[in-house]
Amino acid sequence: MVQNDAFRVLDRQECLRLLAKVPVGRVVYTRRALPAVLPVNFALDSDDAVLLCTSAGSDLVRAIDGVVVAFEGDEFDPATRSGWSVVVTGRADVVTDPAEHERLSRSGPASWMPVRNEVFVRIAPEMVTGRELGTR
């Protein structure tokens, strides 16, 4: 295996710091027994959970509520061949507590798509991994 000084594994705090800088990521989940990926806007909560806002009746909510998913965010520059990628893996749950829903309605992410019966989905940051590729 070739040693690459430009490749670096990121620690949890650095992963979360980088993830907080980008507005869009991808939810990786299972749909009809097949892998699925959906780009979504998001925010990180104070406990580092990934928060999504969507419609209560959406296919996404039906597919991910109560199951383990992955969430990926990244930033790359093709000109310099550098960038980073962070993956958060954990259980996704619809926020059902009325007080928590109210708090997130004020301070959580707003969907970029029109939504009906807004719900928030929380992805617990059970495993956070990342890597950076640079031109060092």
Coordinates of all heavy atoms in Angstrom, one line a residue, residues 35-124:
P35 N -30.3 0.1 -1.5 CA -29.6 1.3 -1.0 C -30.2 2.5 -1.7 O -30.5 2.5 -2.9 CB -28.2 1.2 -1.4 CG -28.0 -0.2 -1.9 CD -29.3 -0.8 -2.2
A36 N -30.4 3.6 -0.9 CA -30.9 4.9 -1.4 C -30.1 6.0 -0.8 O -29.7 5.9 0.3 CB -32.4 5.0 -1.1
V37 N -30.0 7.1 -1.6 CA -29.3 8.3 -1.1 C -30.1 9.5 -1.5 O -30.6 9.6 -2.6 CB -27.9 8.4 -1.8 CG1 -27.2 9.6 -1.3 CG2 -27.0 7.2 -1.5
L38 N -30.3 10.4 -0.5 CA -31.1 11.5 -0.8 C -30.4 12.8 -0.3 O -30.1 12.9 0.9 CB -32.5 11.4 -0.1 CG -33.5 12.6 -0.3 CD1 -33.9 12.6 -1.8 CD2 -34.7 12.4 0.6
P39 N -30.2 13.8 -1.1 CA -29.6 15.0 -0.6 C -30.6 15.8 0.1 O -31.8 15.9 -0.3 CB -29.1 15.7 -1.9 CG -29.9 15.1 -3.0 CD -30.3 13.8 -2.6
V40 N -30.2 16.4 1.2 CA -31.1 17.2 2.1 C -30.3 18.3 2.7 O -29.1 18.2 3.0 CB -31.8 16.3 3.2 CG1 -32.7 15.3 2.6 CG2 -30.8 15.7 4.1
N41 N -31.1 19.4 3.0 CA -30.4 20.4 3.9 C -30.6 19.9 5.3 O -31.5 19.1 5.6 CB -31.0 21.8 3.7 CG -32.4 21.9 4.1 OD1 -33.3 21.3 3.5 ND2 -32.7 22.8 5.1
F42 N -29.8 20.4 6.2 CA -29.7 19.9 7.6 C -29.1 21.0 8.5 O -28.6 22.0 8.1 CB -28.9 18.6 7.7 CG -27.4 18.8 7.5 CD1 -26.6 18.9 8.6 CD2 -26.9 19.1 6.3 CE1 -25.3 19.1 8.5 CE2 -25.5 19.3 6.2 CZ -24.7 19.3 7.3
A43 N -29.1 20.6 9.8 CA -28.4 21.4 10.8 C -27.9 20.4 11.9 O -28.5 19.3 12.0 CB -29.3 22.5 11.4
L44 N -26.9 20.8 12.6 CA -26.5 20.1 13.8 C -27.1 20.6 15.0 O -27.2 21.9 15.2 CB -25.0 20.1 13.9 CG -24.2 19.4 12.8 CD1 -22.7 19.5 13.2 CD2 -24.6 17.9 12.7
D45 N -27.6 19.8 15.9 CA -28.2 20.2 17.2 C -27.1 20.4 18.2 O -26.0 20.0 18.0 CB -29.3 19.2 17.6 CG -30.3 19.9 18.5 OD1 -30.2 21.1 18.9 OD2 -31.3 19.1 18.9
S46 N -27.5 20.9 19.4 CA -26.5 21.1 20.4 C -25.8 19.8 20.9 O -24.7 19.9 21.4 CB -27.1 21.9 21.6 OG -28.2 21.1 22.1
D47 N -26.5 18.7 20.7 CA -25.9 17.4 21.1 C -25.2 16.7 19.9 O -24.9 15.5 20.0 CB -27.0 16.5 21.7 CG -28.1 16.1 20.7 OD1 -28.1 16.7 19.6 OD2 -28.9 15.3 21.0
D48 N -25.0 17.5 18.9 CA -24.3 17.0 17.7 C -25.2 16.1 16.8 O -24.7 15.5 15.8 CB -23.0 16.3 18.0 CG -22.0 17.3 18.6 OD1 -22.1 18.5 18.3 OD2 -21.2 16.8 19.5
A49 N -26.4 15.9 17.1 CA -27.3 15.1 16.3 C -27.6 15.9 15.0 O -27.6 17.1 14.9 CB -28.6 14.8 17.0
V50 N -27.7 15.1 13.9 CA -28.1 15.7 12.6 C -29.6 15.9 12.6 O -30.3 15.0 12.9 CB -27.6 14.8 11.4 CG1 -28.1 15.3 10.1 CG2 -26.1 14.6 11.4
L51 N -30.1 17.1 12.2 CA -31.5 17.4 12.2 C -31.9 17.6 10.8 O -31.3 18.4 10.0 CB -31.8 18.6 13.0 CG -31.5 18.5 14.5 CD1 -31.7 19.9 15.1 CD2 -32.5 17.6 15.1
L52 N -33.0 17.0 10.4 CA -33.7 17.2 9.1 C -35.1 17.7 9.3 O -35.7 17.4 10.3 CB -33.8 15.9 8.3 CG -32.5 15.0 8.3 CD1 -32.8 13.7 7.5 CD2 -31.4 15.7 7.6
C53 N -35.6 18.5 8.4 CA -37.0 18.9 8.5 C -37.7 18.5 7.2 O -37.2 18.7 6.1 CB -37.1 20.4 8.6 SG -38.8 21.1 8.6
T54 N -38.8 17.8 7.3 CA -39.5 17.3 6.1 C -41.0 17.1 6.4 O -41.4 17.4 7.5 CB -38.9 15.9 5.7 OG1 -39.4 15.6 4.4 CG2 -39.1 14.8 6.7
S55 N -41.7 16.6 5.5 CA -43.2 16.4 5.6 C -43.4 15.1 6.4 O -42.7 14.1 6.2 CB -43.9 16.3 4.3 OG -43.8 17.5 3.6
A56 N -44.4 15.1 7.3 CA -44.7 14.0 8.1 C -45.0 12.7 7.3 O -44.7 11.6 7.6 CB -45.9 14.3 9.0
G57 N -45.7 12.9 6.1 CA -46.1 11.8 5.3 C -45.1 11.4 4.2 O -45.4 10.7 3.3
S58 N -43.9 12.0 4.3 CA -42.9 11.7 3.2 C -42.4 10.3 3.2 O -42.4 9.6 4.2 CB -41.7 12.7 3.3 OG -40.9 12.3 4.4
D59 N -42.0 9.9 2.0 CA -41.4 8.5 1.9 C -40.1 8.4 2.7 O -39.9 7.4 3.3 CB -41.0 8.3 0.4 CG -42.2 8.1 -0.5 OD1 -43.3 7.8 0.0 OD2 -42.1 8.2 -1.7
L60 N -39.4 9.5 2.9 CA -38.2 9.5 3.7 C -38.5 9.2 5.1 O -37.9 8.3 5.7 CB -37.4 10.8 3.6 CG -36.2 10.9 4.4 CD1 -35.1 9.9 3.9 CD2 -35.6 12.4 4.4
V61 N -39.5 9.8 5.7 CA -39.9 9.6 7.1 C -40.3 8.1 7.3 O -39.8 7.4 8.2 CB -41.0 10.5 7.6 CG1 -41.6 10.1 8.9 CG2 -40.4 11.9 7.7
R62 N -41.1 7.6 6.4 CA -41.5 6.2 6.5 C -40.3 5.3 6.4 O -40.3 4.2 7.0 CB -42.5 5.9 5.4 CG -43.9 6.5 5.7 CD -45.0 5.9 4.8 NE -44.8 6.3 3.4 CZ -45.2 7.5 2.8 NH1 -45.8 8.3 3.6 NH2 -45.0 7.7 1.6
A63 N -39.3 5.6 5.6 CA -38.2 4.7 5.4 C -37.2 4.7 6.6 O -36.6 3.7 6.8 CB -37.5 5.0 4.1
I64 N -37.0 5.9 7.2 CA -35.9 6.0 8.2 C -36.3 6.1 9.6 O -35.5 5.9 10.5 CB -35.0 7.2 7.8 CG1 -35.6 8.5 8.1 CG2 -34.5 7.1 6.4 CD1 -34.7 9.7 7.9
D65 N -37.6 6.3 9.9 CA -38.0 6.5 11.4 C -37.7 5.2 12.1 O -38.3 4.2 11.8 CB -39.4 6.9 11.5 CG -39.9 7.2 12.9 OD1 -39.0 7.6 13.7 OD2 -41.1 7.1 13.2
G66 N -36.8 5.3 13.1 CA -36.6 4.1 14.0 C -35.5 3.2 13.5 O -35.3 2.1 14.1
V67 N -34.8 3.5 12.4 CA -33.8 2.6 11.9 C -32.4 3.3 11.8 O -32.3 4.6 11.9 CB -34.2 2.1 10.5 CG1 -35.5 1.3 10.5 CG2 -34.2 3.2 9.4
V68 N -31.4 2.6 11.7 CA -30.0 3.1 11.6 C -29.8 3.6 10.1 O -30.1 2.8 9.2 CB -29.0 2.1 12.0 CG1 -27.6 2.6 11.8 CG2 -29.2 1.7 13.5
V69 N -29.3 4.8 10.0 CA -29.0 5.3 8.7 C -27.6 5.9 8.8 O -27.0 6.0 9.8 CB -30.0 6.4 8.3 CG1 -31.4 5.9 8.3 CG2 -29.9 7.6 9.2
A70 N -27.1 6.3 7.6 CA -25.8 7.1 7.5 C -26.2 8.5 7.0 O -27.1 8.6 6.2 CB -24.8 6.4 6.7
F71 N -25.4 9.4 7.4 CA -25.6 10.8 6.9 C -24.2 11.3 6.5 O -23.2 11.2 7.3 CB -26.2 11.7 7.9 CG -26.4 13.1 7.4 CD1 -27.5 13.4 6.7 CD2 -25.4 14.1 7.5 CE1 -27.7 14.7 6.1 CE2 -25.6 15.4 7.0 CZ -26.7 15.7 6.3
E72 N -24.0 11.8 5.2 CA -22.7 12.2 4.8 C -22.7 13.6 4.3 O -23.7 14.0 3.7 CB -22.3 11.3 3.6 CG -20.9 11.4 3.1 CD -20.7 12.5 2.0 OE1 -21.6 12.9 1.4 OE2 -19.5 12.8 1.8
G73 N -21.7 14.3 4.7 CA -21.5 15.7 4.2 C -20.1 15.8 3.7 O -19.2 15.1 4.2
D74 N -19.8 16.7 2.8 CA -18.5 16.8 2.2 C -18.3 18.2 1.6 O -19.2 19.0 1.4 CB -18.2 15.7 1.2 CG -19.1 15.7 0.1 OD1 -19.4 16.8 -0.5 OD2 -19.7 14.6 -0.3
E75 N -17.0 18.4 1.2 CA -16.7 19.6 0.5 C -15.4 19.3 -0.3 O -14.4 18.8 0.3 CB -16.4 20.8 1.5 CG -16.2 22.1 0.8 CD -16.2 23.2 1.8 OE1 -15.2 23.4 2.5 OE2 -17.2 23.9 1.9
F76 N -15.4 19.5 -1.6 CA -14.2 19.2 -2.4 C -13.9 20.3 -3.4 O -14.8 21.0 -3.8 CB -14.5 17.9 -3.2 CG -14.5 16.7 -2.3 CD1 -15.7 16.1 -1.8 CD2 -13.3 16.1 -1.9 CE1 -15.7 15.0 -1.0 CE2 -13.3 15.0 -1.0 CZ -14.5 14.5 -0.6
D77 N -12.7 20.4 -3.7 CA -12.2 21.4 -4.7 C -11.5 20.6 -5.8 O -10.3 20.1 -5.6 CB -11.3 22.4 -4.1 CG -10.8 23.4 -5.0 OD1 -11.0 23.3 -6.3 OD2 -10.2 24.4 -4.6
P78 N -12.1 20.4 -6.9 CA -11.5 19.6 -8.0 C -10.2 20.2 -8.5 O -9.3 19.5 -8.9 CB -12.5 19.6 -9.1 CG -13.8 20.1 -8.5 CD -13.5 20.8 -7.3
A79 N -10.1 21.6 -8.5 CA -8.9 22.2 -9.0 C -7.6 21.9 -8.1 O -6.5 21.7 -8.7 CB -9.0 23.7 -9.0
T80 N -7.8 21.7 -6.8 CA -6.7 21.4 -5.9 C -6.7 19.9 -5.5 O -5.8 19.5 -4.8 CB -6.7 22.3 -4.7 OG1 -7.9 22.0 -3.9 CG2 -6.6 23.8 -5.0
R81 N -7.7 19.2 -5.9 CA -7.8 17.8 -5.6 C -7.8 17.6 -4.1 O -7.1 16.8 -3.5 CB -6.8 16.9 -6.2 CG -6.9 16.9 -7.7 CD -5.9 16.0 -8.3 NE -6.1 16.0 -9.8 CZ -5.4 15.2 -10.6 NH1 -4.5 14.4 -10.1 NH2 -5.6 15.2 -11.9
S82 N -8.5 18.5 -3.4 CA -8.5 18.5 -1.9 C -10.0 18.6 -1.4 O -10.9 19.0 -2.1 CB -7.7 19.6 -1.4 OG -8.3 20.9 -1.7
G83 N -10.2 18.1 -0.2 CA -11.5 18.2 0.4 C -11.6 17.3 1.6 O -10.6 16.7 2.1
W84 N -12.8 17.1 2.0 CA -13.1 16.2 3.2 C -14.5 15.6 3.0 O -15.3 16.1 2.3 CB -13.0 17.0 4.5 CG -13.9 18.2 4.5 CD1 -13.6 19.5 4.2 CD2 -15.3 18.3 4.9 NE1 -14.7 20.3 4.3 CE2 -15.8 19.6 4.8 CE3 -16.2 17.3 5.3 CZ2 -17.1 19.9 5.1 CZ3 -17.5 17.7 5.6 CH2 -17.9 19.0 5.5
S85 N -14.7 14.5 3.8 CA -15.9 13.8 3.8 C -16.2 13.4 5.3 O -15.2 12.8 5.9 CB -15.9 12.6 2.9 OG -17.1 11.9 3.0
V86 N -17.4 13.6 5.8 CA -17.7 13.1 7.1 C -19.0 12.3 7.0 O -19.9 12.6 6.3 CB -18.0 14.4 8.0 CG1 -18.6 13.9 9.4 CG2 -16.7 15.1 8.3
V87 N -19.0 11.2 7.8 CA -20.2 10.3 7.9 C -20.6 10.2 9.3 O -19.8 9.8 10.2 CB -19.9 8.9 7.3 CG1 -21.1 8.0 7.4 CG2 -19.4 9.0 5.8
V88 N -21.9 10.4 9.5 CA -22.5 10.2 10.9 C -23.4 9.0 10.7 O -24.3 9.0 9.8 CB -23.3 11.5 11.3 CG1 -24.1 11.2 12.6 CG2 -22.4 12.7 11.4
T89 N -23.2 8.0 11.6 CA -24.1 6.8 11.5 C -24.8 6.7 12.8 O -24.2 6.9 13.9 CB -23.2 5.6 11.3 OG1 -22.4 5.7 10.1 CG2 -24.1 4.3 11.1
G90 N -26.1 6.5 12.8 CA -26.9 6.4 14.0 C -28.4 6.2 13.7 O -28.8 6.2 12.5
R91 N -29.1 6.0 14.7 CA -30.6 5.8 14.6 C -31.3 7.1 14.3 O -31.0 8.1 14.9 CB -31.1 5.2 15.9 CG -32.6 4.9 15.9 CD -33.0 4.4 17.2 NE -34.5 4.4 17.3 CZ -35.2 3.3 17.5 NH1 -34.6 2.1 17.6 NH2 -36.5 3.4 17.6
A92 N -32.2 7.0 13.3 CA -33.0 8.2 13.0 C -34.4 8.1 13.6 O -35.0 7.0 13.5 CB -33.2 8.3 11.4
D93 N -34.8 9.1 14.3 CA -36.1 9.1 14.9 C -36.8 10.4 14.7 O -36.2 11.5 14.7 CB -36.0 8.9 16.4 CG -35.5 7.5 16.8 OD1 -36.3 6.6 16.5 OD2 -34.5 7.4 17.4
V94 N -38.1 10.3 14.4 CA -39.0 11.5 14.3 C -39.1 12.1 15.7 O -39.4 11.4 16.7 CB -40.3 11.2 13.7 CG1 -41.3 12.4 13.8 CG2 -40.2 10.7 12.2
V95 N -38.9 13.4 15.8 CA -39.1 14.1 17.1 C -40.6 14.2 17.4 O -41.4 14.7 16.6 CB -38.5 15.5 17.0 CG1 -38.8 16.3 18.3 CG2 -37.0 15.4 16.8
T96 N -41.0 13.6 18.5 CA -42.5 13.5 18.8 C -42.8 14.3 20.0 O -44.0 14.7 20.2 CB -42.9 12.0 19.1 OG1 -42.1 11.5 20.1 CG2 -42.8 11.2 17.8
D97 N -41.8 14.7 20.8 CA -42.1 15.6 22.0 C -42.5 17.0 21.6 O -41.8 17.6 20.8 CB -40.8 15.6 22.9 CG -41.0 16.5 24.1 OD1 -41.8 16.2 25.0 OD2 -40.4 17.6 24.1
P98 N -43.7 17.4 22.0 CA -44.2 18.7 21.6 C -43.3 19.9 21.9 O -43.1 20.8 21.1 CB -45.5 18.9 22.3 CG -45.9 17.5 22.6 CD -44.7 16.7 22.8
A99 N -42.7 19.9 23.1 CA -41.8 21.0 23.5 C -40.5 21.0 22.6 O -40.0 22.0 22.2 CB -41.4 20.8 24.9
E100 N -40.0 19.8 22.3 CA -38.8 19.7 21.5 C -39.1 20.1 20.0 O -38.4 20.8 19.4 CB -38.3 18.2 21.5 CG -37.0 18.0 20.7 CD -35.8 18.6 21.3 OE1 -35.9 19.3 22.3 OE2 -34.7 18.4 20.7
H101 N -40.3 19.7 19.5 CA -40.8 20.1 18.2 C -40.9 21.7 18.1 O -40.4 22.3 17.2 CB -42.1 19.5 17.8 CG -42.5 19.7 16.4 ND1 -43.2 20.9 16.0 CD2 -42.3 19.0 15.3 CE1 -43.4 20.9 14.7 NE2 -42.8 19.7 14.3
E102 N -41.4 22.3 19.2 CA -41.6 23.7 19.2 C -40.2 24.4 19.2 O -40.0 25.4 18.5 CB -42.3 24.1 20.4 CG -42.5 25.6 20.6 CD -43.3 26.3 19.5 OE1 -44.1 25.6 18.8 OE2 -43.0 27.5 19.2
R103 N -39.2 23.9 20.0 CA -37.9 24.4 20.0 C -37.3 24.3 18.6 O -36.7 25.3 18.1 CB -37.0 23.7 21.0 CG -35.6 24.1 21.1 CD -34.7 23.3 22.0 NE -34.3 22.0 21.5 CZ -33.3 21.8 20.6 NH1 -32.6 22.8 20.2 NH2 -33.1 20.6 20.2
L104 N -37.4 23.2 18.0 CA -36.8 23.0 16.6 C -37.5 23.8 15.6 O -36.9 24.3 14.6 CB -36.8 21.5 16.3 CG -35.9 20.7 17.1 CD1 -36.0 19.2 16.8 CD2 -34.4 21.1 17.0
S105 N -38.8 24.1 15.8 CA -39.5 25.0 14.8 C -38.9 26.4 14.8 O -38.9 27.1 13.8 CB -41.0 25.1 15.2 OG -41.6 23.8 15.0
R106 N -38.4 26.8 16.0 CA -37.8 28.1 16.1 C -36.3 28.1 15.7 O -35.9 29.1 15.1 CB -37.9 28.6 17.6 CG -39.3 29.0 18.0 CD -39.3 29.7 19.4 NE -38.6 29.0 20.4 CZ -39.1 28.0 21.2 NH1 -40.3 27.6 21.0 NH2 -38.3 27.4 22.1
S107 N -35.6 27.1 16.1 CA -34.1 27.1 15.9 C -33.6 26.0 15.0 O -32.4 26.1 14.7 CB -33.5 27.0 17.3 OG -33.8 25.8 17.9
G108 N -34.4 25.1 14.6 CA -33.9 24.0 13.8 C -33.8 24.3 12.3 O -34.1 25.5 11.9
P109 N -33.5 23.4 11.5 CA -33.4 23.6 10.0 C -34.8 23.8 9.4 O -35.8 23.2 9.9 CB -32.8 22.4 9.5 CG -33.2 21.3 10.5 CD -33.2 22.0 11.8
A110 N -34.9 24.6 8.4 CA -36.1 24.8 7.7 C -35.9 24.1 6.3 O -34.9 24.2 5.7 CB -36.4 26.3 7.4
S111 N -36.9 23.3 5.9 CA -36.7 22.5 4.7 C -36.6 23.5 3.5 O -37.3 24.5 3.5 CB -37.9 21.6 4.5 OG -37.8 21.0 3.2
W112 N -35.8 23.2 2.5 CA -35.8 24.0 1.3 C -36.9 23.6 0.4 O -37.1 24.3 -0.6 CB -34.4 23.7 0.6 CG -33.2 24.3 1.3 CD1 -33.2 24.9 2.5 CD2 -31.9 24.2 0.8 NE1 -31.9 25.3 2.8 CE2 -31.1 24.9 1.8 CE3 -31.3 23.7 -0.3 CZ2 -29.7 25.0 1.7 CZ3 -29.9 23.8 -0.4 CH2 -29.1 24.5 0.6
M113 N -37.6 22.6 0.7 CA -38.8 22.1 -0.1 C -40.0 22.5 0.6 O -40.0 22.6 1.9 CB -38.8 20.6 -0.3 CG -37.6 20.1 -1.0 SD -37.5 20.5 -2.8 CE -38.9 19.6 -3.3
P114 N -41.1 22.8 -0.1 CA -42.4 23.0 0.6 C -42.8 21.8 1.4 O -42.7 20.6 0.9 CB -43.4 23.3 -0.5 CG -42.6 23.5 -1.7 CD -41.3 22.8 -1.5
V115 N -43.2 21.9 2.7 CA -43.6 20.8 3.5 C -45.0 20.9 4.0 O -45.4 22.1 4.3 CB -42.6 20.6 4.7 CG1 -41.2 20.2 4.2 CG2 -42.5 21.8 5.6
R116 N -45.6 19.8 4.2 CA -46.9 19.7 4.9 C -46.7 19.0 6.2 O -46.0 18.0 6.2 CB -47.9 19.0 4.0 CG -48.4 19.8 2.9 CD -49.5 19.1 2.2 NE -50.1 20.1 1.4 CZ -51.2 19.9 0.7 NH1 -51.8 18.7 0.7 NH2 -51.7 20.8 -0.1
N117 N -47.3 19.5 7.3 CA -47.2 18.8 8.6 C -45.7 18.6 8.9 O -45.3 17.4 9.0 CB -48.0 17.5 8.6 CG -49.4 17.7 8.3 OD1 -50.0 18.7 8.7 ND2 -50.0 16.8 7.5
E118 N -45.0 19.7 9.0 CA -43.6 19.6 9.3 C -43.2 18.7 10.5 O -43.8 18.8 11.5 CB -43.2 21.1 9.6 CG -41.8 21.2 10.2 CD -41.6 22.7 10.6 OE1 -41.1 23.4 9.8 OE2 -41.9 23.0 11.8
V119 N -42.2 17.8 10.2 CA -41.6 17.0 11.3 C -40.1 17.2 11.2 O -39.6 17.5 10.2 CB -42.0 15.5 11.2 CG1 -43.5 15.3 11.4 CG2 -41.5 14.9 9.9
F120 N -39.5 16.9 12.4 CA -38.1 16.9 12.4 C -37.6 15.5 12.7 O -38.2 14.8 13.5 CB -37.6 17.9 13.6 CG -37.9 19.3 13.3 CD1 -39.0 19.9 13.8 CD2 -37.0 20.1 12.5 CE1 -39.3 21.2 13.5 CE2 -37.4 21.4 12.2 CZ -38.5 22.0 12.8
V121 N -36.5 15.2 12.0 CA -35.9 13.9 12.2 C -34.5 14.1 12.8 O -33.8 15.0 12.3 CB -35.8 13.1 10.8 CG1 -35.0 11.8 11.0 CG2 -37.1 12.9 10.2
R122 N -34.2 13.4 13.8 CA -33.0 13.5 14.5 C -32.2 12.2 14.2 O -32.7 11.1 14.4 CB -33.2 13.6 16.0 CG -32.0 13.6 16.9 CD -32.3 13.6 18.4 NE -33.1 14.8 18.7 CZ -32.6 16.0 18.9 NH1 -31.3 16.2 18.7 NH2 -33.4 17.0 19.2
I123 N -30.9 12.4 13.7 CA -30.0 11.2 13.5 C -29.0 11.3 14.6 O -28.2 12.2 14.7 CB -29.4 11.3 12.1 CG1 -30.5 11.2 11.0 CG2 -28.4 10.1 12.0 CD1 -29.9 11.5 9.6
A124 N -29.0 10.3 15.5 CA -28.1 10.3 16.6 C -26.7 10.1 16.1 O -26.4 9.2 15.3 CB -28.5 9.1 17.6

